[in-house]
Amino acid sequence: MVLKILRNDLKRNKLITISLFIFVFLASFLTSTGLYVFMQLNGSLDSFFSKARMADFVQMHAGDIQPEQFVSFDRQNEAVEEKQIQAMLGFDWRNVSFGEKDYLESHSVMDLLFVTQNERFDFLLDLQNEYAQVQTGEIGVPLYFMKLHDLKIGDKVEINKGDFQFSFIIGTFIRDAEMNPDVVSSKRFLISQTDFEQLKDVADSKEYLIEYRLKNPEQVDDFTTTYQNAMMPGRGPTINGSLFRMMNAMTDGVVIAIMMAITVLLIIIALLCLRFTLLATIEEDYREIGVMKAIGICQRDIKRFYLIKYLVVSLFSAAFGCIAAQLAGKSFTGHIILYMGDSPETLLKTVIPCIGSVAVALLVILFCWLILSRFKKISAVQALRSGAVIKRKVTGGVRLEQIKFLDTNLFMGLNDFSGKFGILLLLIFIYMICTFIVSVPLNLLNTIQSDSFITYMGVGESDIRIDIHDRGNMGEEFDGIVSRLRADDEIQRVSPSITYRYKVLNSEETYDNINVESGDFSVFPLAYLKGHTPLETDEIALSYLQAQNLEKEVGDSVTLLVEGGRQDLIVSGIYQDITNGGLTAKGHLSGNRETALWYTVALSLKPGVSVRDKTAELNAQIDYAKVTPVKEYVNQTFGATIQQVRTVTLFTCGIALFLTLLITAFFMKMLMAKDGPQIAVMRSIGFSPTDIRIQNFARNSLVLLISIFLGTILSNTLGERMVNLMTAGLGASDIHFKIDYIRSFVFMPVIFFSVVLLTTYISSLQLKKKTIKELIME
Amino acid sequence: MNNILKTVNLSKTYSVNKNERQTVLNDVNIEIKKGEFVSVMGPSGSGKSTLLYSISGMDSDYSGKVNFNGNELSEMSEAELASLRLNTMGFVFQHIHLMKNLSLKDNIMLPAYKAAKKSRKVINTETDALMKKTGIASIANHDMTQASGGQLQRVGICRALINQPEILFGDEPTGALNSKVSDEIMHWLGSVNNEGTTVLLVTHDSAVAARAERVLFMKDGEIVSERYLGKYTGDFLKEREKILSQWLLEQGF
């Protein structure tokens, strides 16, 4: 009998059952998929790092090194398990071409470093995650360039430096555990030892990777301090194992975080709809429930009849969600598998996602159980006598007799809105969430792609950026470049700066390295979180993460070790910077040019001057510098992240629109069933099905308008806050959304309205299926 | 007098199960003249309400013809039927069917606002007058829950009359009311008929039917007989009831 009740109920309320099925299925699918991607990411990272034999500590160094320096350091440090130093030959991007493209098309902000394979650890791997090997004349190309230039095995990579030409054939593509992520601005190319010897004397720069594996990797922070205090070579960034992990996981981590956030919202929506359905069912079946109690069926059994339906729907939808996740999971892990390789197939990889689905199903069932405890309150006598206790509507608000001009159908629609406000609140909430999950990624995407995003990279808004890595004795040459730029008629403003490395006293009274950019920052001002740009020579501005690291606030004093001793500087301001691990600083220090790390010039052009043309001109003039339009700088540095956010935006748009369609159909079905007799009255007095439809349009449009308004406010407040919580760890704690007004306030609302009104129209076609007589008799 | 309504071989069946169909109307042929007051009587399940809903365009899926003022209802679209109901018909139900979210006055005015044959100001004024005439002006701004059954039925009738329909249909209009209120309602319907509106009522109450000038008797989906009582002028109601009751006994009712 239970099966019969179940079958009949499912047949009678097809749309509602299907809607609930889809909500729980989606929640289960996303939970499972999110967990699957997480397991894959974790597993791939572990497997990748293990096969690559990652270093625990890496120090880049530009310039010469004395190998004997390391002998005593290594001997004195018991923490060291292994050490190696990898030499890297840097070539300017203008001298390197890929495939059929010439150097201009190959323009890149990345440092191109040519290396041989390491022997002890930090191995470059091929696409099978094996130790990569190349023959003489062959080259292993990083995945970044494979994707950027659509390269294949067998394509050429050529170095052209005046009289020197060298051609490689691509023999393999490289997975580089240290330099895979786009945010790392250097990329290693694998060549043979023979070819390395040939290129040694013609390289534009020579750098070293000083790498250590420790006996206890958790002691890397102490080791870093020891290394720096021993004044070991350090003209370049210092990175440890956990930062490598974070950088490699960042792009896909964003996808997982968004998936989980959407899952939580979906579960909330599913539970709210479930609550609505259950309460409506209890109201409709009030008398029947009373009859069942009166004839002796106990409350627990009555509850069981109702629970069985939702139990079946939940279990089936969760099971389908789990299976779908197993099948579709791979399509979300494409990026992980390409960059890190697949993770070993383990039982946990299958089981954990399924546990997620089961958890969703159990949550739904528990929720139903709690809602259905309302049965306790239904007395048999009361139910039989009076039926459901209907809340009486007391008329208030605007009356028809007060309406002078508004169309009667529009009035009825708006009147219906006010009469059903309690029920429609749920719909408003859901539409608001849908608006939210579209707006936040859309606004984030627009912000990353905007011109002003450069300010979150610690750089003011300029047109062109020139980066010059120190080749030794750059001082005079740099001054000459700056003078020529200032004299250029087409250039409006020029802001040169030089980055030096110093030692800074940290909160533990030891010294850390700090890169300080020195220059005039008032030319291209940066927006500061607190305070202002350093104006005096005894002032310094810190990046957000640097300030946190040193536990400094505006007005505090910071001690630097400079040539000639200690110098105390006052923190004038704190700014946002997500480059260089978020740890940077700006000041007016006049350092020793011989120890400068790099030189930078930001410049803006006069109106009417083409950025592209000027970039090409300057690239030709200054052949050892990287000249990049600022917009391209952002795109290249965050290309993968932008692509992922774009993918996520499309995905969340799709989910939101699908949810909107589903919930509109769900509510229309419920409301039209509930309103059958009222619709019959209207039709009997002369309202046509089209009139009823217009009323539905009016009501639903008002609901959607309110929801979009609230959702937009929420995304610009809470949404912005949530993004800032995620990006604070990267160095940007106060990102303000840059809104594309056309997309956000015209395009998206038009799409939402189209979906809602079309669904309303299709749902209301059922009006014609029943006659007025049938509706009245219900 | 011209016919306002005519049915030709009107039949309707519905499906009981896969193999069996139940006949509800069986070749019903009626003619209602303009300005007539006609009652349809018969036992439960005889098809009275089905007949009423079919000839007012509120039911479909029948065979035969229903001609209203020269319009064949089965050939009309939903929009055309809606317009017909709005502008030329009024319907009074047994159980009160009003709009929950509107005041009683707004319920009455709703069809007039929809039809927009007069200005809203005029509609407002006429509604006030109508409510005053029928003794419900004091509850104009109340909702459904704040009026008695008799008052609500008066609201229903006002709504049915607001657009000056050519015909007023009633499905047991006094079925849920006590005798005193029934009398008042029927008195009012009589005066509406005297002003030229055709009235067609379905009822099982001979006291109600006795006010009609013609009574049709239905049994098993067919009009089996009819009795002409003549125009009711306000006198001799009891005698008319007696004649009618006698006739009904002869029909086996």
Side-chain angles (χ1 to χ4, degrees):
Chain A
M1 186 181 91
V2 168
L3 274 174
K4 196 172 175 186
I5 293 172
L6 181 65
R7 205 171 35 236
N8 289 340
D9 190 79
L10 288 172
K11 253 171 42 182
R12 207 177 54 194
N13 294 312
K14 269 199 212 102
L15 180 64
I16 292 163
T17 308
I18 290 170
S19 301
L20 283 171
F21 179 92
I22 290 175
F23 283 130
V24 179
F25 166 78
L26 276 176
S28 159
F29 171 74
L30 285 173
T31 305
S32 249
T33 306
L35 286 170
Y36 179 85
V37 174
F38 176 78
M39 297 293 292
Q40 176 73 53
L41 180 61
N42 231 32
S44 289
L45 271 171
D46 285 343
S47 168
F48 179 45
F49 281 12
S50 164
K51 290 208 173 137
R53 289 204 85 219
M54 276 293 302
D56 298 314
F57 170 88
V58 175
Q59 173 70 59
M60 279 183 83
H61 177 77
D64 295 324
I65 57 168
Q66 319 298 328
E68 49 282 7
Q69 226 183 337
F70 291 91
V71 172
S72 62
F73 176 81
D74 295 350
R75 211 177 21 231
Q76 283 165 24
N77 264 287
E78 288 172 356
V80 173
E81 185 183 79
E82 286 179 278
K83 184 213 78 197
Q84 73 186 4
I85 298 175
Q86 184 183 49
M88 303 188 293
L89 304 176
F91 281 89
D92 190 273
W93 66 271
R94 276 165 296 205
N95 299 330
V96 183
S97 61
F98 296 89
E100 299 304 314
K101 296 181 181 184
D102 67 22
Y103 79 91
L104 274 173
E105 290 174 288
S106 305
H107 178 233
S108 168
V109 297
M110 296 296 171
D111 293 333
L112 311 181
L113 302 167
F114 288 70
V115 302
T116 57
Q117 182 65 281
N118 285 320
E119 286 171 12
R120 295 206 184 92
F121 56 90
D122 179 29
F123 302 132
L124 298 177
L125 304 179
D126 61 20
L127 294 188
Q128 283 73 44
N129 266 6
E130 298 297 331
Y131 185 82
Q133 288 175 303
V134 289
Q135 307 298 323
T136 302
E138 284 185 344
I139 188 167
V141 170
L143 284 168
Y144 176 87
F145 287 97
M146 180 190 88
K147 290 192 80 179
L148 187 67
H149 299 305
D150 195 26
L151 298 171
K152 295 176 193 38
I153 302 288
D155 284 348
K156 279 194 189 154
V157 174
E158 291 179 325
I159 297 176
N160 289 292
K161 271 193 80 170
D163 293 335
F164 180 84
Q165 270 106 35
F166 203 97
S167 187
F168 292 98
I169 300 290
I170 298 177
T172 187
F173 292 107
I174 296 297
R175 283 185 183 139
D176 184 344
E178 290 180 6
M179 299 189 190
N180 251 0
D182 289 5
V183 290
V184 176
S185 59
S186 305
K187 296 287 175 266
R188 291 188 286 186
F189 293 78
L190 179 65
I191 58 176
S192 69
Q193 186 62 46
T194 310
D195 293 331
F196 188 90
E197 293 303 323
Q198 283 211 282
L199 296 181
K200 230 165 44 173
D201 296 325
V202 291
D204 295 313
S205 64
K206 196 168 182 184
E207 294 180 47
Y208 293 91
L209 272 186
I210 300 156
E211 304 181 300
Y212 283 90
R213 276 177 68 91
L214 305 178
K215 286 176 185 158
N216 184 358
E218 279 164 34
Q219 290 179 332
V220 67
D221 287 339
D222 292 338
F223 179 80
T224 305
T225 307
T226 307
Y227 182 90
Q228 289 171 347
N229 288 344
M231 312 301 266
M232 299 296 287
R235 287 176 68 191
T238 312
I239 311 164
N240 62 38
S242 58
L243 191 57
F244 281 128
R245 199 175 177 93
M246 190 196 78
M247 287 194 300
N248 275 285
M250 194 170 77
T251 302
D252 297 287
V254 164
V255 173
I256 293 171
I258 290 172
M259 225 177 238
M260 285 304 163
I262 294 173
T263 302
V264 168
L265 291 171
L266 267 173
I267 290 173
I268 292 172
I269 291 172
L271 293 179
L272 287 171
C273 288
L274 201 55
R275 181 177 178 278
F276 176 73
T277 310
L278 280 167
L279 292 179
T281 305
I282 291 171
E283 189 184 304
E284 275 170 29
D285 295 352
Y286 199 84
R287 193 180 286 274
E288 284 74 12
I289 296 165
V291 168
M292 283 195 269
K293 281 192 168 186
I295 63 174
I297 300 176
C298 72
Q299 183 206 299
R300 199 182 58 218
D301 287 338
I302 299 173
K303 218 167 153 180
R304 197 164 61 95
F305 285 139
Y306 285 85
L307 197 59
I308 276 189
K309 168 177 145 176
Y310 297 103
L311 185 82
V312 168
V313 171
S314 304
L315 288 175
F316 263 101
S317 50
F320 274 101
C322 184
I323 293 168
Q326 296 291 329
L327 296 171
K330 288 226 181 287
S331 56
F332 290 91
T333 54
H335 184 266
I336 297 171
I337 292 173
L338 177 63
Y339 278 83
M340 290 178 261
D342 206 349
S343 63
E345 289 300 326
T346 61
L347 194 58
L348 274 180
K349 212 167 145 184
T350 308
V351 166
I352 299 278
C354 289
I355 290 176
S357 290
V358 169
V360 169
L362 287 176
L363 181 65
V364 169
I365 293 162
L366 176 66
F367 189 77
C368 289
W369 183 261
L370 291 171
I371 298 282
L372 289 172
S373 51
R374 280 182 179 236
F375 282 153
K376 255 191 246 178
K377 296 181 192 164
I378 299 174
S379 118
V381 172
Q382 187 187 351
L384 287 169
R385 272 198 184 147
S386 61
V389 176
I390 298 162
K391 290 200 182 96
R392 298 288 185 193
K393 162 87 179 59
V394 176
T395 44
V398 178
R399 292 197 295 277
L400 185 61
E401 62 173 314
Q402 294 167 312
I403 302 298
K404 291 196 179 7
F405 302 111
L406 188 65
D407 178 76
T408 310
N409 283 326
L410 290 181
F411 170 82
M412 292 299 285
L414 301 179
N415 183 258
D416 196 33
F417 171 85
S418 105
K420 292 191 175 73
F421 186 70
I423 298 170
L424 294 174
L425 214 49
L426 175 59
L427 197 58
I428 289 172
F429 178 74
I430 294 169
Y431 284 162
M432 185 183 74
I433 291 179
C434 291
T435 308
F436 180 82
I437 65 177
V438 166
S439 292
V440 173
L442 194 62
N443 288 341
L444 179 61
L445 181 67
N446 207 52
T447 306
I448 297 175
Q449 291 181 308
S450 68
D451 291 342
S452 59
F453 189 73
I454 194 80
T455 60
Y456 299 111
M457 298 168 74
V459 174
E461 283 188 61
S462 56
D463 291 325
I464 294 175
R465 181 183 164 93
I466 302 175
D467 291 288
I468 306 168
H469 275 246
D470 182 58
R471 304 177 306 167
N473 298 318
M474 276 291 310
E476 276 181 32
E477 246 184 287
F478 181 67
D479 290 340
I481 291 166
V482 171
S483 302
R484 280 203 309 275
L485 290 171
R486 285 197 208 278
D488 190 321
D489 282 337
E490 291 185 327
I491 295 173
Q492 191 164 52
R493 285 178 287 162
V494 178
S495 175
S497 60
I498 306 173
T499 302
Y500 301 96
R501 173 163 287 179
Y502 298 99
K503 296 271 183 226
V504 63
L505 192 66
N506 62 28
S507 54
E508 283 146 28
E509 299 294 315
T510 57
Y511 284 97
D512 290 334
N513 280 336
I514 185 170
N515 294 348
V516 182
E517 188 184 2
S518 282
D520 181 0
F521 305 105
S522 62
V523 180
F524 297 109
L526 198 55
Y528 278 73
L529 287 174
K530 296 177 196 172
H532 55 81
T533 193
L535 299 169
E536 307 296 335
T537 52
D538 65 345
E539 287 184 328
I540 189 169
L542 301 176
S543 66
Y544 171 75
L545 281 184
Q546 186 71 277
Q548 286 210 323
N549 234 27
L550 299 173
E551 294 177 20
K552 296 292 178 191
E553 275 296 339
V554 172
D556 289 346
S557 173
V558 158
T559 305
L560 293 193
L561 272 187
V562 300
E563 279 194 21
R566 289 160 66 121
Q567 185 172 356
D568 289 331
L569 301 165
I570 304 295
V571 177
S572 68
I574 295 172
Y575 60 93
Q576 299 179 91
D577 191 353
I578 52 180
T579 62
N580 293 303
L583 299 168
T584 59
K586 296 180 192 295
H588 285 295
L589 300 167
S590 46
N592 181 354
R593 297 279 182 106
E594 286 176 17
T595 58
L597 293 178
W598 55 79
Y599 299 81
T600 314
V601 183
L603 55 97
S604 64
L605 303 176
K606 287 190 175 150
V609 179
S610 158
V611 170
R612 191 144 285 278
D613 292 342
K614 197 67 188 176
T615 304
E617 181 192 316
L618 290 171
N619 263 315
Q621 282 176 12
I622 317 168
D623 56 2
Y624 45 81
K626 224 187 307 188
V627 183
T628 320
V630 160
K631 215 169 187 171
E632 215 176 290
Y633 183 79
V634 175
N635 284 343
Q636 288 210 13
T637 309
F638 291 102
T641 306
I642 290 172
Q643 190 50 45
Q644 285 294 85
V645 175
R646 192 175 282 130
T647 304
V648 166
T649 304
L650 284 171
F651 177 67
T652 56
C653 277
I655 291 267
L657 290 174
F658 179 67
L659 267 179
T660 302
L661 188 151
L662 203 63
I663 204 72
T664 307
F666 178 85
F667 263 81
M668 282 300 296
K669 169 81 181 178
M670 296 286 288
L671 290 174
M672 291 191 77
K674 203 176 162 63
D675 283 347
Q678 293 279 276
I679 292 172
V681 171
M682 277 197 283
R683 290 189 62 193
S684 72
I685 60 179
F687 284 84
S688 66
T690 303
D691 291 322
I692 311 290
R693 208 167 283 135
I694 293 171
Q695 293 172 24
N696 286 332
F697 284 164
R699 181 195 62 219
N700 290 354
S701 295
L702 181 58
V703 167
L704 189 58
L705 213 60
I706 292 171
S707 311
I708 289 176
F709 176 72
L710 292 174
T712 304
I713 293 177
L714 199 68
S715 77
N716 291 341
T717 51
L718 179 68
E720 206 177 74
R721 203 78 290 267
M722 281 167 58
V723 166
N724 279 317
L725 281 172
M726 283 196 319
T727 56
L730 301 172
S733 65
D734 191 32
I735 290 182
H736 291 288
F737 282 151
K738 196 94 178 166
I739 298 171
D740 180 334
Y741 289 101
I742 301 291
R743 260 194 223 166
S744 296
F745 296 125
V746 176
F747 190 61
M748 286 315 302
V750 163
I751 294 189
F752 269 113
F753 267 97
S754 303
V755 168
V756 168
L757 296 183
L758 188 63
T759 313
T760 305
Y761 174 79
I762 293 172
S763 301
S764 63
L765 287 176
Q766 64 183 283
L767 277 167
K768 287 189 181 172
K769 287 189 184 161
K770 282 190 175 169
T771 63
I772 301 170
K773 180 188 168 228
E774 283 166 342
L775 289 169
I776 284 179
M777 297 305 184
E778 275 180 4
Chain B
M1 275 202 277
N2 296 331
N3 283 336
I4 189 172
L5 184 69
K6 181 178 175 178
T7 71
V8 178
N9 296 339
L10 176 62
S11 298
K12 185 171 170 71
T13 58
Y14 70 86
S15 185
V16 175
N17 55 43
K18 247 197 300 189
N19 301 315
E20 209 181 317
R21 291 193 75 84
Q22 171 90 27
T23 301
V24 187
L25 295 175
N26 188 16
D27 282 338
V28 173
N29 293 286
I30 58 171
E31 288 178 19
I32 310 290
K33 293 184 173 41
K34 281 186 185 166
E36 254 198 306
F37 189 150
V38 177
S39 268
V40 180
M41 297 189 77
S44 275
S46 59
K48 309 186 296 295
S49 295
T50 306
L51 174 66
L52 196 69
Y53 283 100
S54 297
I55 61 180
S56 61
M58 290 203 274
D59 200 0
S60 55
D61 197 27
Y62 52 77
S63 63
K65 291 191 185 307
V66 177
N67 191 293
F68 182 85
N69 257 350
N71 301 301
E72 179 46 54
L73 294 193
S74 60
E75 290 166 9
M76 294 174 84
S77 66
E78 279 296 335
E80 286 167 336
L81 284 171
S83 177
L84 203 68
R85 282 193 296 273
L86 181 69
N87 294 298
T88 62
M89 297 178 182
F91 209 105
V92 182
F93 301 95
Q94 176 182 7
H95 299 291
I96 314 303
H97 290 296
L98 299 176
M99 300 303 292
K100 282 187 301 200
N101 294 342
L102 295 178
S103 68
L104 296 176
K105 182 178 176 185
D106 283 353
N107 265 286
I108 295 170
M109 292 195 305
L110 185 61
Y113 266 56
K114 176 74 184 104
K117 285 194 284 202
K118 298 174 187 172
S119 74
R120 290 185 178 185
K121 192 173 174 188
V122 167
I123 293 169
N124 258 281
T125 311
E126 287 184 359
T127 305
D128 286 336
L130 191 55
M131 290 187 89
K132 193 172 177 190
K133 186 175 158 191
T134 51
I136 52 173
S138 59
I139 56 168
N141 292 334
H142 292 194
D143 66 47
M144 278 175 65
T145 61
Q146 297 166 303
S148 68
Q151 287 172 323
L152 290 175
Q153 193 60 296
R154 267 176 261 190
V155 170
I157 297 170
C158 285
R159 183 183 68 188
L161 295 173
I162 193 70
N163 280 339
Q164 282 103 44
E166 292 180 36
I167 185 166
L168 181 71
F169 295 102
D171 184 12
E172 304 274 9
T174 59
L177 305 172
N178 63 40
S179 54
K180 182 171 181 290
V181 175
S182 291
D183 270 343
E184 288 169 9
I185 298 290
M186 287 315 300
H187 180 75
W188 183 21
L189 290 180
S191 64
V192 164
N193 175 245
N194 287 338
E195 287 167 11
T197 304
T198 310
V199 176
L200 177 60
L201 299 185
V202 159
T203 183
H204 67 274
D205 186 347
S206 50
V208 166
R211 293 172 190 256
E213 65 189 89
R214 187 159 61 106
V215 179
L216 306 176
F217 185 77
M218 278 191 81
K219 193 176 174 183
D220 297 330
E222 293 179 13
I223 305 284
V224 293
S225 66
E226 72 178 68
R227 183 71 158 90
Y228 182 71
L229 293 175
K231 200 93 177 146
Y232 174 61
T233 54
D235 300 315
F236 306 112
L237 182 60
K238 289 275 180 248
E239 285 75 8
R240 290 168 73 100
E241 265 187 67
K242 230 170 161 177
I243 295 166
L244 192 58
S245 300
Q246 183 62 37
W247 175 69
L248 288 170
L249 264 172
E250 289 162 17
Q251 310 308 314
F253 184 50

